[in-house]
């Protein structure tokens, strides 16, 4: 039988250790708490130094109001604060810290030294705390403001220490934390030094877009759209990214409530709802969203680290956020907006494998004598607003120029025969049926019950299966085929050398991104070389890409639109696939369709769009309102 233990009050040291578990999760948590304390003290300059990933040292120096010498001891005592005094204050909190737990919690798991001189005081004071106990205190002569040193974090709590990640990972989290705080306080200046090297320095009074340029790649920052919406005392403002610059992860959706960085599912849902119909699956926009609500209508005291909040009027919050984002996106649709066309101009050369390159879907026994369809006259294409600005090489249309949003083919006119005289149908590419002499032989897909009828709009392949009509998106089908082939030989790393290397000038965030993706890019066939800290040389590219396509692909990688190796393969399959608006000869179309039908997961492209749309006779009757 289990022995009953008596109820007892926990000793102070153990209380502080438990409290620290709520507040001090990792070094980035310490940076957040100390920087927010500085801002609460009215600091206009905050300098942060991190050593050893935060384990060895976290130093935060500010020029705020400072702490009077006779209050330093209280500052490291639990539940001692100058920010609230009554229950009424708790219901309308306007500061970041208010519980009085940060400094004592940090001091219980580290060696903490606080040195401060209050405004107007002739001298300052210091206090040192070790494992929750005051070890030393006395006078000091610092500059006005407060200096907090945290050394040997978690040294006395090895159980907590073992859960920390590598130094580079903890450094990155500290940087991300200071970045998020700095975006909400543009009037203040910030700096971060890690490992003896200054990571960034932000001047006071920066605009939001200028500050984001320090952290986000240029390709993303060029297309940020401002918004500012207000409704019933609730205001949502900030910057929203163009759908053309969406990426494969949501870490650039930054949410704030009354200047406080938060993680809120309802706010995120409002952002996603505003982009609905503009993004395909697994894509996330870039958004810096600042929500201002009356303090009495938001509860910031529902999470130990103050990362979550609770709203009194959730519907109002959802509505004003959605309205703000839609306001930004509406500017894309205004005349004169720098937008790419939904589809590229007709006139791309018919698909053919490059000399010496074995295509992944064209069988060796291609039908002889098939003549490629003639290409329409080419027209100049606008450079997409989200395209890379690297170098002066040829500009190629991005995926979203011709596939910005999936539109069901049923919206396209589908003539049953070519226009009289063989001319093009107005405002669309002609429908090219398979010749009657070929229909009984070459148009039948081997080993299937599908019959190929032709191509419409130089984009969709028309099939008949029994009594059903099927349209296949040639780009989406080829994407799926290429991705399957790449996965099968994903580590081979075949490449084609370039006579002259591509030269890319890198933003600091891009230099970091290319280092993270280095091995994955090598497995794909890229041969890269760093020429200094901010210059990348590309000496070889995958066989499926030419130099211009490789440049555009790398621009997407550097903008962190892909996170895993499989994401990179997906992007590469998109860049390598035949394009919408590209005429296909009969043998090319048949070869693609036969290979696609034998490909796993063939119903959807790698981005989640449908590859084929099918109409049964009943569907057609409904479309023509026969029933």
């Amino acid at each position: 039988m289990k022995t009953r233990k008596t109820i007892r009050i926990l000793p102070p040291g153990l209380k502080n250790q438990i409290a620290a578990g709520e507040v001090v999760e990792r070094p980035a948590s310490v940076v957040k708490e100390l920087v927010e304390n500085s801002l609460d003290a009215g600091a206009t300059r905050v300098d942060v130094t991190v050593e050893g990933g935060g384990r060895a040292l976290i130093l935060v120096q500010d020029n705020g109001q400072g702490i009077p010498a006779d209050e330093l001891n209280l500052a490291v005592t639990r539940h001692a604060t100058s920010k609230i005094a009554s229950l009424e204050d708790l219901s309308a909190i306007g500061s970041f810290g208010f519980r009085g737990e940060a400094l004592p919690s940090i001091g219980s798991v580290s060696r903490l030294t606080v040195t401060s001189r209050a405004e107007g005081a002739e001298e300052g004071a210091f206090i040192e705390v070790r494992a929750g106990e005051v070890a030393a205190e006395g006078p000091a002569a610092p500059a006005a403001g407060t200096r907090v040193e945290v050394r040997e974090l978690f040294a006395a709590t090895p159980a907590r220490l073992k859960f920390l990640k590598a130094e580079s990972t903890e450094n990155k989290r500290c940087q991300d934390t200071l970045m998020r705080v700095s975006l909400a306080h543009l009037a203040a200046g910030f700096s971060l030094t890690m490992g003896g090297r200054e990571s960034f320095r932000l001047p006071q009074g920066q605009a939001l877009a200028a500050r984001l340029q320090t952290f986000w790649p240029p390709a993303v920052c060029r297309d940020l759209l401002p918004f500012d919406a207000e409704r019933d005392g609730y205001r949502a403002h900030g910057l929203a990214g163009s759908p053309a610059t969406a990426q494969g992860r949501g870490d650039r959706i930054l949410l704030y409530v009354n200047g406080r960085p938060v993680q809120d599912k309802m706010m995120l849902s409002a952002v996603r709802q505003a982009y609905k119909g503009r993004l395909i699956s697994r894509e996330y926009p870039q958004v810096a969203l600042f929500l201002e609500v009356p303090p009495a209508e938001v509860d910031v005291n529902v999470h130990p680290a103050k990362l979550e909040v609770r709203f009194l009027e959730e519907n109002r919050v959802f509505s004003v956020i959605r309205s703000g984002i839609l306001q930004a996106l509406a500017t894309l649709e205004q005349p004169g907006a720098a937008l790419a066309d939904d589809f590229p101009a007709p006139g791309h050369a018919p698909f053919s494998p490059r000399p010496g390159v074995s295509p992944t879907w064209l069988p060796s026994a291609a039908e002889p004598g098939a003549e490629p369809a003639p290409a329409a006259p080419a027209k100049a294409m606008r450079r997409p607003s989200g395209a890379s600005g690297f170098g002066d090489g040829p500009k190629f249309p991005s995926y979203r120029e011709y596939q910005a949003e999936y539109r069901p083919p049923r919206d396209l006119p589908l003539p049953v025969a070519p226009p009289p005289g063989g001319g093009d149908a107005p405002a669309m590419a002609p429908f090219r049926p398979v010749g009657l002499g070929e229909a009984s032989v070459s148009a039948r897909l081997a080993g299937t019950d599908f019959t190929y009828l032709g191509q419409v709009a130089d984009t969709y392949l028309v099939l008949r299966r029994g009594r059903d009509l099927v349209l296949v998106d040639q780009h989406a089908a080829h994407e799926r085929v290429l991705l399957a082939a790449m996965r099968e030989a994903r580590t081979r790393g075949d490449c084609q050398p370039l006579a002259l290397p591509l030269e890319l000038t890198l933003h600091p965030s891009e230099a970091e991104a290319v280092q993270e993706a280095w091995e994955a890019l090598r497995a794909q066939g890229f041969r890269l070389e760093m020429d200094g800290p901010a210059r990348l040389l590309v000496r070889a590219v995958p066989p499926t890409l030419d130099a211009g396509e490789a440049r555009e692909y790398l621009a997407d990688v550097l903008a962190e639109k892909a996170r895993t190796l499989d994401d990179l393969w997906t992007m590469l399959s998109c860049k390598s696939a035949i394009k919408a608006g590209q005429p296909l000869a009969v043998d090319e179309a048949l070869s693609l369709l036969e290979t696609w039908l034998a490909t796993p997961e063939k119903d959807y492209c790698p981005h989640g769009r449908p590859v084929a749309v099918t109409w049964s006779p009943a569907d057609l009757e409904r479309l023509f309102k026969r029933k």
Side-chain angles (χ1 to χ4, degrees):
M1 185 175 181
K2 192 172 181 179
T3 304
R4 181 185 178 277
K5 296 182 180 181
T6 59
I7 299 173
R8 60 173 64 90
I9 296 175
L10 294 175
L14 188 53
K15 288 181 188 177
N16 287 340
Q17 290 278 343
I18 294 171
E22 297 178 342
V23 177
V24 188
E25 181 185 1
R26 57 186 352 104
S29 310
V30 176
V31 171
K32 177 179 180 292
E33 295 290 344
L34 297 182
V35 171
E36 288 183 343
N37 279 350
S38 296
L39 294 168
D40 279 338
T44 59
R45 180 83 239 161
V46 182
D47 299 305
V48 180
T49 300
V50 175
E51 298 289 346
R55 297 179 181 88
L57 171 68
I58 297 173
L59 170 63
V60 177
Q61 172 83 54
D62 68 54
N63 65 348
Q65 296 170 348
I67 306 172
D70 58 355
E71 293 182 13
L72 266 182
N73 206 291
L74 279 174
V76 296
T77 302
R78 288 193 68 202
H79 305 312
T81 180
S82 62
K83 296 164 188 175
I84 60 172
S86 66
L87 187 60
E88 289 73 20
D89 294 337
L90 193 60
S91 64
I93 295 168
S95 58
F96 300 110
F98 53 88
R99 295 172 178 160
E101 289 187 0
L103 288 178
S105 294
I106 295 168
S108 69
V109 291
S110 69
R111 181 156 61 90
L112 170 71
T113 304
V114 182
T115 308
S116 187
R117 179 161 70 87
E119 272 185 332
E122 294 184 359
E123 67 173 8
F126 81 95
I127 189 167
E128 184 179 335
V129 179
R130 295 189 183 185
E133 301 293 333
V134 175
E137 56 184 318
T146 301
R147 173 189 174 96
V148 181
E149 295 181 37
V150 180
R151 297 183 181 273
E152 302 173 12
L153 184 64
F154 298 142
T157 53
R160 188 83 56 81
L161 193 63
K162 69 181 181 182
F163 285 100
L164 295 185
K165 304 298 183 182
E167 179 177 330
S168 59
T169 302
E170 297 299 341
N171 279 341
K172 184 68 165 60
R173 285 173 169 164
C174 291
Q175 178 175 312
D176 288 346
T177 296
L178 188 57
M179 177 268 288
R180 287 173 182 261
V181 173
S182 73
L183 295 178
H185 301 276
L186 302 176
F190 298 85
S191 74
L192 174 64
T193 301
M194 295 190 298
R197 183 177 63 87
E198 187 172 274
S199 179
F200 61 78
R201 180 169 292 275
L202 307 173
Q204 296 173 228
Q206 269 187 309
L208 177 60
R211 188 157 285 190
L212 277 170
Q213 287 173 7
T214 304
F215 307 106
W216 288 358
V220 169
C221 294
R222 271 195 301 270
D223 289 338
L224 292 175
L225 308 164
F227 62 91
D228 194 336
E230 189 166 359
R231 182 171 299 177
D232 301 326
Y234 285 51
R235 181 188 177 210
H237 61 99
L239 295 170
S242 164
T245 60
Q247 60 181 52
R249 53 183 178 178
D251 58 343
R252 291 201 185 114
I253 301 178
L254 308 179
L255 307 176
Y256 298 82
V257 175
N258 293 347
R260 184 190 305 277
V262 299
Q263 300 168 357
D264 188 85
K265 292 181 180 179
M266 190 270 295
M267 293 176 67
L268 179 61
S269 176
V271 171
R272 296 285 288 171
Q273 180 67 26
Y275 278 93
K276 188 174 181 180
R278 294 173 170 87
L279 301 177
I280 57 180
S281 65
R282 297 190 303 170
E283 281 193 328
Y284 297 87
Q286 297 90 11
V287 175
L289 167 66
F290 300 88
L291 178 67
E292 296 177 10
V293 303
E297 297 186 24
V298 58
D299 185 357
V300 299
N301 195 27
V302 296
H303 189 276
K306 302 183 288 294
L307 291 175
E308 298 175 9
V309 294
R310 184 180 294 130
F311 297 103
L312 190 64
E313 298 285 349
E314 288 192 345
N315 289 339
R316 195 178 299 175
V317 169
F318 186 96
S319 177
V320 74
I321 291 174
R322 183 174 178 275
S323 296
I325 302 293
L326 287 175
Q327 179 192 105
L329 296 177
T331 63
L332 291 171
E333 300 164 9
Q334 293 174 356
L339 284 179
D341 292 330
D342 284 344
F343 290 86
H348 298 294
F351 175 82
S352 60
R354 295 185 179 86
V357 178
S358 176
T360 57
W361 62 267
L362 195 62
S364 56
E367 293 187 9
E371 292 293 329
K379 73 174 183 180
M381 285 184 294
R382 295 203 300 272
R383 176 172 175 257
S385 59
S388 168
F390 298 132
D392 298 315
K395 299 298 185 291
F396 290 80
S398 71
Y399 174 67
R400 292 176 188 82
E401 274 193 277
Y402 50 82
Q403 295 287 8
E405 180 182 347
Y406 177 70
R407 293 182 172 85
R410 68 185 68 185
D411 293 340
L412 293 170
L414 183 61
V416 295
D424 286 357
M428 65 172 286
F431 171 70
R432 282 187 291 277
V434 176
L436 292 176
E438 304 171 287
S440 60
V441 182
S442 62
R444 185 78 175 186
L445 272 66
T448 76
D449 54 354
F450 285 95
T451 300
Y452 175 57
L453 303 179
Q455 185 185 32
V456 65
D458 287 342
T459 298
Y460 303 105
L461 307 180
V462 187
L463 304 173
R464 185 179 70 236
R465 184 183 193 184
R467 301 181 65 200
D468 293 345
L469 176 67
V470 182
L471 292 189
V472 175
D473 181 331
Q474 65 190 33
H475 174 79
H478 195 204
E479 274 188 300
R480 177 51 72 183
V481 168
L482 287 175
L483 181 60
M486 290 173 181
R487 283 173 172 167
E488 189 173 340
R490 60 191 302 157
T491 57
R492 189 164 51 196
D494 294 341
C495 65
Q496 55 179 358
L498 299 176
L500 293 174
L502 294 175
E503 298 183 9
L504 308 180
T505 302
L506 304 182
H507 181 273
S509 66
E510 293 170 331
E512 186 176 328
V514 79
Q515 290 297 336
E516 291 178 0
W518 193 277
E519 290 304 320
L521 290 170
R522 184 173 182 82
Q524 289 185 314
F526 286 95
R527 295 296 178 264
L528 309 175
E529 179 184 321
M530 290 299 296
D531 183 18
R535 189 163 172 261
L536 177 68
L537 301 180
V538 183
R539 298 196 177 278
V541 299
T544 56
L545 298 181
D546 61 27
E549 292 167 331
R551 182 185 294 273
E552 183 185 344
Y553 175 77
L554 286 172
D556 284 347
V557 173
L558 297 177
E560 300 181 75
K561 292 186 178 181
R563 190 169 196 172
T564 65
L565 179 57
D566 205 61
D567 291 337
L568 292 172
W569 286 122
T570 297
M571 278 194 351
L572 184 58
S573 70
C574 179
K575 300 296 181 189
S576 306
I578 56 176
K579 304 298 187 277
Q582 182 169 332
L584 295 184
V586 173
D587 62 332
E588 293 175 328
L590 289 174
S591 181
L592 171 59
L593 290 167
E594 289 170 0
T595 310
W596 165 68
L597 286 170
T599 300
E601 304 176 88
K602 68 179 183 299
D603 293 335
Y604 293 89
C605 84
H607 303 91
R609 295 187 304 105
V611 174
V613 178
T614 301
W615 291 274
S616 67
D619 294 328
L620 294 173
E621 286 179 338
R622 280 193 295 272
L623 285 172
F624 286 100
K625 303 196 176 198
R626 288 179 172 270
K627 287 187 179 180

